[in-house]
Amino acid sequence: MIRLSTKSQYGVRAMYEIACGYPDRPVSAPLISEKQDVPVPFLEQILTKLRKAGIIKSVKGPGGGYLLNGSPESITIWDIVEQLDGPMAITSCLDPQKGCVRIDNCVTHLLWKSLGNHLKDFLSTISVNDLVNGVILEKIGLEKAG
Amino acid sequence: MIRLSTKSQYGVRAMYEIACGYPDRPVSAPLISEKQDVPVPFLEQILTKLRKAGIIKSVKGPGGGYLLNGSPESITIWDIVEQLDGPMAITSCLDPQKGCVRIDNCVTHLLWKSLGNHLKDFLSTISVNDLVNGVILEKIGLEKAG
DNA sequence: AAATAATTGACAAATTTAGTAGGGTATTAT
DNA sequence: ATAATACCCTACTAAATTTGTCAATTATTT
């Protein structure tokens, strides 16, 4: 099964909520948790990663929460997924840390590499703003969305 | 991490070997195992699935093995992956058996659905024959393959 | 009959993912 | 100041999935 981790799914949904507070209203973890049905401690792990990646920033204290660290247009779904689950490698032999033993005579190496690139390209075309504005349908085209 | 299971990877590599015997030379599991570094028992699980799906057929007895059940042009990578890991659902909420509780107010549902369609479309354009003939580069385009 | 090779189903190890637990730290409102 | 809010961090556990093994059987050809 090719499956996106729930961590990434939660992350994208969290980013949606944070984007709703753009540009100046911090969104707290408990609020995101409630709206998106994500356990707070798990959510905090996710938000910490995104913060360290510079995608969001945080405000402490009462009334605090998380804010986008850039415009909703500039942050793509790929940015989020890459930080949470990356470095993305469709197959383990594409994992930069492991390398491919069979690379020279592997008939499929190129195929998987290309698949990964396709995925990246697609997710890079969708921004958080598209999510908020529901622009996805237009970008994707109706014939595929059915 | 978005990752393709090794089962599917093994399956595609196995199909490559079987395709090399096309149209009439059966390829045995031990031979595939040796050439592609896949444990025989695990390989047999995979081949059984593909046979039941009608993608390949088998010949028993000495000199027996597996044969494509169609032309290499007609079998796509998607066909293989779908049978081994399917029904593919990028996210669990797209799993037909589970369904999505949040579907009405889920801001990302459409996104994941579309991503799955993209993936399917891409893998459906690559045939087993492309693998054997090394046509992938041309189909994909050099700028992506880098 | 004997050798070869597919076929089957149950089982087990390993890995990854998902989620908990619990304490600590910074900030702001009162 | 102090209490409340909410972020921050490390380590651990549980669940699920993936990956692989084992043992026995069936079918076919030589």
Side-chain angles (χ1 to χ4, degrees), chain A residues 10-57:
Chain A
Y10 286 168
V12 172
R13 303 220 306 259
M15 286 297 288
Y16 168 84
E17 295 297 334
I18 297 170
C20 289
Y22 185 82
D24 54 15
R25 201 179 72 248
V27 183
S28 74
L31 181 63
I32 298 172
S33 167
E34 187 198 341
K35 286 210 173 188
Q36 294 291 336
D37 296 316
V38 182
V40 174
F42 193 30
L43 182 61
E44 283 179 341
Q45 281 181 35
I46 293 167
L47 296 175
T48 297
K49 269 200 171 184
L50 294 176
R51 184 182 53 79
K52 284 184 177 168
I55 294 178
I56 57 177
K57 55 192 172 186

mmCIF file of all heavy atoms in Angstrom, chain A residues 10-57:
data_model
loop_
_atom_site.group_PDB
_atom_site.id
_atom_site.type_symbol
_atom_site.label_atom_id
_atom_site.label_comp_id
_atom_site.label_asym_id
_atom_site.label_seq_id
_atom_site.Cartn_x
_atom_site.Cartn_y
_atom_site.Cartn_z
ATOM 1 N N TYR A 10 -2.487 14.683 9.722
ATOM 2 C CA TYR A 10 -2.758 15.575 10.844
ATOM 3 C C TYR A 10 -2.072 16.911 10.632
ATOM 4 O O TYR A 10 -2.638 17.969 10.907
ATOM 5 C CB TYR A 10 -2.255 14.947 12.149
ATOM 6 C CG TYR A 10 -3.079 13.807 12.692
ATOM 7 C CD1 TYR A 10 -2.599 13.008 13.725
ATOM 8 C CD2 TYR A 10 -4.362 13.531 12.194
ATOM 9 C CE1 TYR A 10 -3.360 11.961 14.248
ATOM 10 C CE2 TYR A 10 -5.113 12.481 12.714
ATOM 11 C CZ TYR A 10 -4.609 11.700 13.742
ATOM 12 O OH TYR A 10 -5.345 10.676 14.262
ATOM 13 N N GLY A 11 -0.850 16.843 10.174
ATOM 14 C CA GLY A 11 -0.073 18.056 9.962
ATOM 15 C C GLY A 11 -0.738 19.005 8.986
ATOM 16 O O GLY A 11 -0.809 20.218 9.234
ATOM 17 N N VAL A 12 -1.231 18.478 7.909
ATOM 18 C CA VAL A 12 -1.875 19.315 6.904
ATOM 19 C C VAL A 12 -3.167 19.919 7.462
ATOM 20 O O VAL A 12 -3.441 21.102 7.271
ATOM 21 C CB VAL A 12 -2.172 18.507 5.618
ATOM 22 C CG1 VAL A 12 -3.012 19.330 4.655
ATOM 23 C CG2 VAL A 12 -0.873 18.072 4.960
ATOM 24 N N ARG A 13 -3.893 19.107 8.188
ATOM 25 C CA ARG A 13 -5.143 19.622 8.766
ATOM 26 C C ARG A 13 -4.849 20.688 9.817
ATOM 27 O O ARG A 13 -5.569 21.690 9.942
ATOM 28 C CB ARG A 13 -5.954 18.476 9.396
ATOM 29 C CG ARG A 13 -6.278 17.364 8.400
ATOM 30 C CD ARG A 13 -7.681 16.795 8.556
ATOM 31 N NE ARG A 13 -7.996 16.330 9.882
ATOM 32 C CZ ARG A 13 -7.986 15.027 10.269
ATOM 33 N NH1 ARG A 13 -7.646 14.094 9.403
ATOM 34 N NH2 ARG A 13 -8.318 14.695 11.484
ATOM 35 N N ALA A 14 -3.773 20.487 10.564
ATOM 36 C CA ALA A 14 -3.384 21.481 11.562
ATOM 37 C C ALA A 14 -3.003 22.785 10.870
ATOM 38 O O ALA A 14 -3.389 23.877 11.310
ATOM 39 C CB ALA A 14 -2.225 20.964 12.398
ATOM 40 N N MET A 15 -2.272 22.653 9.782
ATOM 41 C CA MET A 15 -1.848 23.849 9.050
ATOM 42 C C MET A 15 -3.054 24.618 8.517
ATOM 43 O O MET A 15 -3.028 25.846 8.429
ATOM 44 C CB MET A 15 -0.923 23.450 7.901
ATOM 45 C CG MET A 15 0.464 23.050 8.334
ATOM 46 S SD MET A 15 1.391 24.383 9.127
ATOM 47 C CE MET A 15 1.733 25.436 7.715
ATOM 48 N N TYR A 16 -4.065 23.889 8.170
ATOM 49 C CA TYR A 16 -5.297 24.546 7.719
ATOM 50 C C TYR A 16 -5.857 25.444 8.819
ATOM 51 O O TYR A 16 -6.182 26.596 8.582
ATOM 52 C CB TYR A 16 -6.328 23.480 7.327
ATOM 53 C CG TYR A 16 -7.723 24.018 7.128
ATOM 54 C CD1 TYR A 16 -8.109 24.572 5.915
ATOM 55 C CD2 TYR A 16 -8.658 23.972 8.165
ATOM 56 C CE1 TYR A 16 -9.383 25.067 5.735
ATOM 57 C CE2 TYR A 16 -9.937 24.468 7.998
ATOM 58 C CZ TYR A 16 -10.304 25.015 6.777
ATOM 59 O OH TYR A 16 -11.566 25.513 6.608
ATOM 60 N N GLU A 17 -5.926 24.887 10.021
ATOM 61 C CA GLU A 17 -6.465 25.666 11.136
ATOM 62 C C GLU A 17 -5.599 26.883 11.438
ATOM 63 O O GLU A 17 -6.102 27.971 11.681
ATOM 64 C CB GLU A 17 -6.579 24.790 12.390
ATOM 65 C CG GLU A 17 -7.586 23.649 12.281
ATOM 66 C CD GLU A 17 -9.024 24.129 12.084
ATOM 67 O OE1 GLU A 17 -9.330 25.254 12.509
ATOM 68 O OE2 GLU A 17 -9.823 23.379 11.497
ATOM 69 N N ILE A 18 -4.293 26.664 11.424
ATOM 70 C CA ILE A 18 -3.383 27.776 11.694
ATOM 71 C C ILE A 18 -3.517 28.857 10.627
ATOM 72 O O ILE A 18 -3.497 30.058 10.912
ATOM 73 C CB ILE A 18 -1.928 27.286 11.784
ATOM 74 C CG1 ILE A 18 -1.784 26.312 12.968
ATOM 75 C CG2 ILE A 18 -0.961 28.439 11.944
ATOM 76 C CD1 ILE A 18 -0.469 25.580 13.022
ATOM 77 N N ALA A 19 -3.694 28.403 9.402
ATOM 78 C CA ALA A 19 -3.840 29.352 8.299
ATOM 79 C C ALA A 19 -5.094 30.200 8.456
ATOM 80 O O ALA A 19 -5.142 31.350 8.022
ATOM 81 C CB ALA A 19 -3.866 28.607 6.965
ATOM 82 N N CYS A 20 -6.102 29.609 9.104
ATOM 83 C CA CYS A 20 -7.340 30.356 9.309
ATOM 84 C C CYS A 20 -7.130 31.554 10.237
ATOM 85 O O CYS A 20 -7.913 32.501 10.229
ATOM 86 C CB CYS A 20 -8.425 29.445 9.882
ATOM 87 S SG CYS A 20 -9.050 28.246 8.696
ATOM 88 N N GLY A 21 -6.075 31.515 11.042
ATOM 89 C CA GLY A 21 -5.794 32.614 11.938
ATOM 90 C C GLY A 21 -4.882 33.663 11.317
ATOM 91 O O GLY A 21 -4.574 34.679 11.936
ATOM 92 N N TYR A 22 -4.449 33.396 10.101
ATOM 93 C CA TYR A 22 -3.533 34.314 9.426
ATOM 94 C C TYR A 22 -4.190 35.656 9.219
ATOM 95 O O TYR A 22 -5.367 35.711 8.890
ATOM 96 C CB TYR A 22 -3.107 33.700 8.089
ATOM 97 C CG TYR A 22 -2.070 34.503 7.337
ATOM 98 C CD1 TYR A 22 -0.723 34.388 7.673
ATOM 99 C CD2 TYR A 22 -2.448 35.349 6.304
ATOM 100 C CE1 TYR A 22 0.230 35.118 6.991
ATOM 101 C CE2 TYR A 22 -1.498 36.077 5.615
ATOM 102 C CZ TYR A 22 -0.160 35.964 5.966
ATOM 103 O OH TYR A 22 0.789 36.683 5.285
ATOM 104 N N PRO A 23 -3.477 36.784 9.392
ATOM 105 C CA PRO A 23 -2.041 36.851 9.662
ATOM 106 C C PRO A 23 -1.666 37.016 11.139
ATOM 107 O O PRO A 23 -0.499 36.873 11.461
ATOM 108 C CB PRO A 23 -1.630 38.127 8.912
ATOM 109 C CG PRO A 23 -2.842 39.000 8.987
ATOM 110 C CD PRO A 23 -4.038 38.095 9.068
ATOM 111 N N ASP A 24 -2.614 37.330 12.017
ATOM 112 C CA ASP A 24 -2.162 37.713 13.357
ATOM 113 C C ASP A 24 -2.880 37.056 14.538
ATOM 114 O O ASP A 24 -2.658 37.430 15.674
ATOM 115 C CB ASP A 24 -2.244 39.241 13.503
ATOM 116 C CG ASP A 24 -3.643 39.738 13.151
ATOM 117 O OD1 ASP A 24 -4.567 38.901 13.080
ATOM 118 O OD2 ASP A 24 -3.805 40.941 12.931
ATOM 119 N N ARG A 25 -3.731 36.109 14.270
ATOM 120 C CA ARG A 25 -4.426 35.483 15.399
ATOM 121 C C ARG A 25 -3.829 34.109 15.684
ATOM 122 O O ARG A 25 -4.001 33.167 14.907
ATOM 123 C CB ARG A 25 -5.919 35.339 15.089
ATOM 124 C CG ARG A 25 -6.784 35.183 16.329
ATOM 125 C CD ARG A 25 -8.268 35.073 16.012
ATOM 126 N NE ARG A 25 -8.606 33.787 15.408
ATOM 127 C CZ ARG A 25 -9.000 33.627 14.156
ATOM 128 N NH1 ARG A 25 -9.110 34.669 13.358
ATOM 129 N NH2 ARG A 25 -9.280 32.429 13.700
ATOM 130 N N PRO A 26 -3.094 33.976 16.807
ATOM 131 C CA PRO A 26 -2.485 32.684 17.135
ATOM 132 C C PRO A 26 -3.558 31.632 17.365
ATOM 133 O O PRO A 26 -4.592 31.912 17.979
ATOM 134 C CB PRO A 26 -1.724 32.965 18.434
ATOM 135 C CG PRO A 26 -1.561 34.438 18.490
ATOM 136 C CD PRO A 26 -2.753 35.005 17.818
ATOM 137 N N VAL A 27 -3.286 30.406 16.890
ATOM 138 C CA VAL A 27 -4.227 29.303 17.073
ATOM 139 C C VAL A 27 -3.577 28.291 18.010
ATOM 140 O O VAL A 27 -2.474 27.815 17.755
ATOM 141 C CB VAL A 27 -4.546 28.639 15.719
ATOM 142 C CG1 VAL A 27 -5.586 27.547 15.899
ATOM 143 C CG2 VAL A 27 -5.025 29.683 14.709
ATOM 144 N N SER A 28 -4.264 28.010 19.105
ATOM 145 C CA SER A 28 -3.666 27.132 20.115
ATOM 146 C C SER A 28 -3.800 25.658 19.762
ATOM 147 O O SER A 28 -4.693 25.255 19.006
ATOM 148 C CB SER A 28 -4.330 27.376 21.470
ATOM 149 O OG SER A 28 -5.615 26.807 21.484
ATOM 150 N N ALA A 29 -2.880 24.878 20.322
ATOM 151 C CA ALA A 29 -2.903 23.440 20.088
ATOM 152 C C ALA A 29 -4.218 22.806 20.548
ATOM 153 O O ALA A 29 -4.807 22.000 19.828
ATOM 154 C CB ALA A 29 -1.710 22.779 20.765
ATOM 155 N N PRO A 30 -4.690 23.159 21.741
ATOM 156 C CA PRO A 30 -5.974 22.585 22.167
ATOM 157 C C PRO A 30 -7.108 22.865 21.184
ATOM 158 O O PRO A 30 -7.961 22.009 20.971
ATOM 159 C CB PRO A 30 -6.223 23.283 23.514
ATOM 160 C CG PRO A 30 -4.861 23.596 24.019
ATOM 161 C CD PRO A 30 -4.051 23.932 22.816
ATOM 162 N N LEU A 31 -7.104 24.047 20.596
ATOM 163 C CA LEU A 31 -8.167 24.382 19.645
ATOM 164 C C LEU A 31 -8.064 23.523 18.383
ATOM 165 O O LEU A 31 -9.054 22.982 17.891
ATOM 166 C CB LEU A 31 -8.095 25.871 19.284
ATOM 167 C CG LEU A 31 -9.181 26.339 18.297
ATOM 168 C CD1 LEU A 31 -10.566 26.163 18.904
ATOM 169 C CD2 LEU A 31 -8.967 27.795 17.891
ATOM 170 N N ILE A 32 -6.840 23.421 17.873
ATOM 171 C CA ILE A 32 -6.625 22.583 16.695
ATOM 172 C C ILE A 32 -7.042 21.150 16.996
ATOM 173 O O ILE A 32 -7.710 20.491 16.206
ATOM 174 C CB ILE A 32 -5.141 22.599 16.274
ATOM 175 C CG1 ILE A 32 -4.710 24.018 15.900
ATOM 176 C CG2 ILE A 32 -4.905 21.656 15.111
ATOM 177 C CD1 ILE A 32 -3.211 24.160 15.663
ATOM 178 N N SER A 33 -6.643 20.707 18.172
ATOM 179 C CA SER A 33 -6.961 19.352 18.599
ATOM 180 C C SER A 33 -8.461 19.097 18.542
ATOM 181 O O SER A 33 -8.923 18.079 18.035
ATOM 182 C CB SER A 33 -6.455 19.127 20.021
ATOM 183 O OG SER A 33 -6.997 17.952 20.570
ATOM 184 N N GLU A 34 -9.200 20.065 19.057
ATOM 185 C CA GLU A 34 -10.652 19.910 19.118
ATOM 186 C C GLU A 34 -11.262 19.915 17.718
ATOM 187 O O GLU A 34 -12.069 19.053 17.363
ATOM 188 C CB GLU A 34 -11.231 21.059 19.941
ATOM 189 C CG GLU A 34 -12.729 20.922 20.225
ATOM 190 C CD GLU A 34 -13.348 22.249 20.653
ATOM 191 O OE1 GLU A 34 -12.577 23.150 21.076
ATOM 192 O OE2 GLU A 34 -14.571 22.377 20.536
ATOM 193 N N LYS A 35 -10.830 20.857 16.913
ATOM 194 C CA LYS A 35 -11.433 21.001 15.587
ATOM 195 C C LYS A 35 -11.076 19.866 14.644
ATOM 196 O O LYS A 35 -11.841 19.495 13.764
ATOM 197 C CB LYS A 35 -10.984 22.329 14.969
ATOM 198 C CG LYS A 35 -11.657 23.545 15.600
ATOM 199 C CD LYS A 35 -11.769 24.655 14.562
ATOM 200 C CE LYS A 35 -12.590 25.808 15.099
ATOM 201 N NZ LYS A 35 -12.876 26.807 14.037
ATOM 202 N N GLN A 36 -9.875 19.321 14.814
ATOM 203 C CA GLN A 36 -9.412 18.329 13.847
ATOM 204 C C GLN A 36 -9.267 16.921 14.428
ATOM 205 O O GLN A 36 -8.749 16.024 13.764
ATOM 206 C CB GLN A 36 -8.084 18.775 13.230
ATOM 207 C CG GLN A 36 -8.187 20.034 12.378
ATOM 208 C CD GLN A 36 -8.972 19.805 11.094
ATOM 209 O OE1 GLN A 36 -9.075 18.693 10.606
ATOM 210 N NE2 GLN A 36 -9.536 20.881 10.559
ATOM 211 N N ASP A 37 -9.724 16.745 15.648
ATOM 212 C CA ASP A 37 -9.684 15.407 16.260
ATOM 213 C C ASP A 37 -8.285 14.797 16.281
ATOM 214 O O ASP A 37 -8.078 13.683 15.800
ATOM 215 C CB ASP A 37 -10.628 14.445 15.522
ATOM 216 C CG ASP A 37 -12.075 14.874 15.646
ATOM 217 O OD1 ASP A 37 -12.472 15.240 16.758
ATOM 218 O OD2 ASP A 37 -12.787 14.851 14.624
ATOM 219 N N VAL A 38 -7.359 15.551 16.813
ATOM 220 C CA VAL A 38 -5.994 15.042 16.950
ATOM 221 C C VAL A 38 -5.590 15.163 18.424
ATOM 222 O O VAL A 38 -5.769 16.230 19.001
ATOM 223 C CB VAL A 38 -5.008 15.849 16.086
ATOM 224 C CG1 VAL A 38 -3.608 15.289 16.206
ATOM 225 C CG2 VAL A 38 -5.460 15.885 14.639
ATOM 226 N N PRO A 39 -5.068 14.096 19.037
ATOM 227 C CA PRO A 39 -4.643 14.168 20.432
ATOM 228 C C PRO A 39 -3.599 15.264 20.626
ATOM 229 O O PRO A 39 -2.652 15.354 19.840
ATOM 230 C CB PRO A 39 -4.007 12.798 20.681
ATOM 231 C CG PRO A 39 -4.564 11.908 19.622
ATOM 232 C CD PRO A 39 -4.838 12.781 18.443
ATOM 233 N N VAL A 40 -3.779 16.066 21.659
ATOM 234 C CA VAL A 40 -2.887 17.200 21.885
ATOM 235 C C VAL A 40 -1.401 16.824 21.922
ATOM 236 O O VAL A 40 -0.588 17.469 21.247
ATOM 237 C CB VAL A 40 -3.267 17.980 23.166
ATOM 238 C CG1 VAL A 40 -2.244 19.056 23.465
ATOM 239 C CG2 VAL A 40 -4.645 18.609 23.006
ATOM 240 N N PRO A 41 -1.012 15.798 22.699
ATOM 241 C CA PRO A 41 0.428 15.507 22.784
ATOM 242 C C PRO A 41 1.019 15.131 21.423
ATOM 243 O O PRO A 41 2.144 15.518 21.093
ATOM 244 C CB PRO A 41 0.488 14.308 23.734
ATOM 245 C CG PRO A 41 -0.787 14.353 24.510
ATOM 246 C CD PRO A 41 -1.793 14.892 23.571
ATOM 247 N N PHE A 42 0.247 14.371 20.661
ATOM 248 C CA PHE A 42 0.724 13.962 19.341
ATOM 249 C C PHE A 42 0.797 15.176 18.422
ATOM 250 O O PHE A 42 1.765 15.369 17.678
ATOM 251 C CB PHE A 42 -0.226 12.915 18.770
ATOM 252 C CG PHE A 42 0.306 12.185 17.574
ATOM 253 C CD1 PHE A 42 1.663 11.978 17.408
ATOM 254 C CD2 PHE A 42 -0.559 11.692 16.605
ATOM 255 C CE1 PHE A 42 2.157 11.287 16.312
ATOM 256 C CE2 PHE A 42 -0.069 11.002 15.506
ATOM 257 C CZ PHE A 42 1.280 10.802 15.357
ATOM 258 N N LEU A 43 -0.197 16.019 18.553
ATOM 259 C CA LEU A 43 -0.234 17.242 17.762
ATOM 260 C C LEU A 43 0.981 18.113 18.052
ATOM 261 O O LEU A 43 1.580 18.695 17.151
ATOM 262 C CB LEU A 43 -1.516 18.013 18.088
ATOM 263 C CG LEU A 43 -1.779 19.303 17.331
ATOM 264 C CD1 LEU A 43 -1.880 19.050 15.838
ATOM 265 C CD2 LEU A 43 -3.058 19.966 17.841
ATOM 266 N N GLU A 44 1.353 18.159 19.324
ATOM 267 C CA GLU A 44 2.479 19.013 19.702
ATOM 268 C C GLU A 44 3.796 18.526 19.091
ATOM 269 O O GLU A 44 4.647 19.318 18.706
ATOM 270 C CB GLU A 44 2.587 19.093 21.225
ATOM 271 C CG GLU A 44 1.542 20.041 21.795
ATOM 272 C CD GLU A 44 1.593 20.131 23.310
ATOM 273 O OE1 GLU A 44 2.167 19.233 23.941
ATOM 274 O OE2 GLU A 44 1.069 21.115 23.851
ATOM 275 N N GLN A 45 3.917 17.220 18.997
ATOM 276 C CA GLN A 45 5.092 16.661 18.310
ATOM 277 C C GLN A 45 5.167 17.176 16.889
ATOM 278 O O GLN A 45 6.217 17.589 16.397
ATOM 279 C CB GLN A 45 4.992 15.139 18.249
ATOM 280 C CG GLN A 45 5.373 14.416 19.514
ATOM 281 C CD GLN A 45 5.255 12.911 19.357
ATOM 282 O OE1 GLN A 45 5.520 12.376 18.275
ATOM 283 N NE2 GLN A 45 4.861 12.227 20.399
ATOM 284 N N ILE A 46 4.008 17.154 16.254
ATOM 285 C CA ILE A 46 3.925 17.579 14.856
ATOM 286 C C ILE A 46 4.228 19.070 14.723
ATOM 287 O O ILE A 46 5.031 19.480 13.887
ATOM 288 C CB ILE A 46 2.512 17.261 14.304
ATOM 289 C CG1 ILE A 46 2.317 15.742 14.229
ATOM 290 C CG2 ILE A 46 2.296 17.911 12.954
ATOM 291 C CD1 ILE A 46 0.882 15.311 14.012
ATOM 292 N N LEU A 47 3.609 19.854 15.584
ATOM 293 C CA LEU A 47 3.796 21.305 15.507
ATOM 294 C C LEU A 47 5.238 21.694 15.818
ATOM 295 O O LEU A 47 5.770 22.646 15.239
ATOM 296 C CB LEU A 47 2.813 22.005 16.453
ATOM 297 C CG LEU A 47 1.335 21.813 16.073
ATOM 298 C CD1 LEU A 47 0.415 22.422 17.123
ATOM 299 C CD2 LEU A 47 1.045 22.418 14.697
ATOM 300 N N THR A 48 5.853 20.963 16.729
ATOM 301 C CA THR A 48 7.249 21.234 17.048
ATOM 302 C C THR A 48 8.140 21.041 15.818
ATOM 303 O O THR A 48 9.011 21.868 15.527
ATOM 304 C CB THR A 48 7.721 20.302 18.176
ATOM 305 O OG1 THR A 48 6.969 20.586 19.355
ATOM 306 C CG2 THR A 48 9.194 20.516 18.470
ATOM 307 N N LYS A 49 7.882 19.962 15.108
ATOM 308 C CA LYS A 49 8.657 19.719 13.885
ATOM 309 C C LYS A 49 8.474 20.841 12.876
ATOM 310 O O LYS A 49 9.444 21.321 12.272
ATOM 311 C CB LYS A 49 8.208 18.394 13.237
ATOM 312 C CG LYS A 49 8.984 17.174 13.692
ATOM 313 C CD LYS A 49 8.827 16.037 12.680
ATOM 314 C CE LYS A 49 9.777 14.891 12.995
ATOM 315 N NZ LYS A 49 9.711 13.817 11.966
ATOM 316 N N LEU A 50 7.242 21.251 12.713
ATOM 317 C CA LEU A 50 6.943 22.293 11.730
ATOM 318 C C LEU A 50 7.548 23.634 12.152
ATOM 319 O O LEU A 50 7.987 24.418 11.317
ATOM 320 C CB LEU A 50 5.427 22.427 11.534
ATOM 321 C CG LEU A 50 4.741 21.207 10.906
ATOM 322 C CD1 LEU A 50 3.232 21.412 10.844
ATOM 323 C CD2 LEU A 50 5.295 20.937 9.503
ATOM 324 N N ARG A 51 7.565 23.847 13.461
ATOM 325 C CA ARG A 51 8.150 25.096 13.953
ATOM 326 C C ARG A 51 9.662 25.102 13.730
ATOM 327 O O ARG A 51 10.236 26.068 13.260
ATOM 328 C CB ARG A 51 7.845 25.268 15.438
ATOM 329 C CG ARG A 51 8.343 26.593 16.016
ATOM 330 C CD ARG A 51 8.053 26.702 17.498
ATOM 331 N NE ARG A 51 8.543 25.551 18.233
ATOM 332 C CZ ARG A 51 9.821 25.381 18.589
ATOM 333 N NH1 ARG A 51 10.721 26.283 18.283
ATOM 334 N NH2 ARG A 51 10.186 24.308 19.246
ATOM 335 N N LYS A 52 10.286 23.969 14.051
ATOM 336 C CA LYS A 52 11.731 23.885 13.861
ATOM 337 C C LYS A 52 12.116 23.999 12.391
ATOM 338 O O LYS A 52 13.222 24.407 12.051
ATOM 339 C CB LYS A 52 12.259 22.570 14.439
ATOM 340 C CG LYS A 52 12.340 22.596 15.953
ATOM 341 C CD LYS A 52 12.946 21.332 16.522
ATOM 342 C CE LYS A 52 13.076 21.434 18.043
ATOM 343 N NZ LYS A 52 13.396 20.129 18.677
ATOM 344 N N ALA A 53 11.189 23.615 11.538
ATOM 345 C CA ALA A 53 11.442 23.712 10.100
ATOM 346 C C ALA A 53 11.214 25.133 9.598
ATOM 347 O O ALA A 53 11.502 25.453 8.450
ATOM 348 C CB ALA A 53 10.540 22.729 9.347
ATOM 349 N N GLY A 54 10.666 25.966 10.471
ATOM 350 C CA GLY A 54 10.454 27.362 10.079
ATOM 351 C C GLY A 54 9.178 27.606 9.306
ATOM 352 O O GLY A 54 8.982 28.675 8.740
ATOM 353 N N ILE A 55 8.303 26.633 9.304
ATOM 354 C CA ILE A 55 7.045 26.787 8.576
ATOM 355 C C ILE A 55 6.020 27.555 9.407
ATOM 356 O O ILE A 55 5.229 28.323 8.893
ATOM 357 C CB ILE A 55 6.489 25.399 8.173
ATOM 358 C CG1 ILE A 55 7.427 24.741 7.160
ATOM 359 C CG2 ILE A 55 5.087 25.518 7.595
ATOM 360 C CD1 ILE A 55 7.002 23.365 6.734
ATOM 361 N N ILE A 56 6.068 27.341 10.704
ATOM 362 C CA ILE A 56 5.200 28.088 11.609
ATOM 363 C C ILE A 56 6.045 28.673 12.733
ATOM 364 O O ILE A 56 7.200 28.296 12.913
ATOM 365 C CB ILE A 56 4.088 27.204 12.219
ATOM 366 C CG1 ILE A 56 4.695 26.006 12.950
ATOM 367 C CG2 ILE A 56 3.129 26.722 11.152
ATOM 368 C CD1 ILE A 56 3.692 25.110 13.656
ATOM 369 N N LYS A 57 5.458 29.610 13.464
ATOM 370 C CA LYS A 57 6.115 30.142 14.653
ATOM 371 C C LYS A 57 5.109 30.105 15.790
ATOM 372 O O LYS A 57 3.909 29.925 15.561
ATOM 373 C CB LYS A 57 6.618 31.560 14.399
ATOM 374 C CG LYS A 57 5.550 32.519 13.913
ATOM 375 C CD LYS A 57 6.171 33.811 13.394
ATOM 376 C CE LYS A 57 5.135 34.698 12.717
ATOM 377 N NZ LYS A 57 5.725 35.887 12.084
#
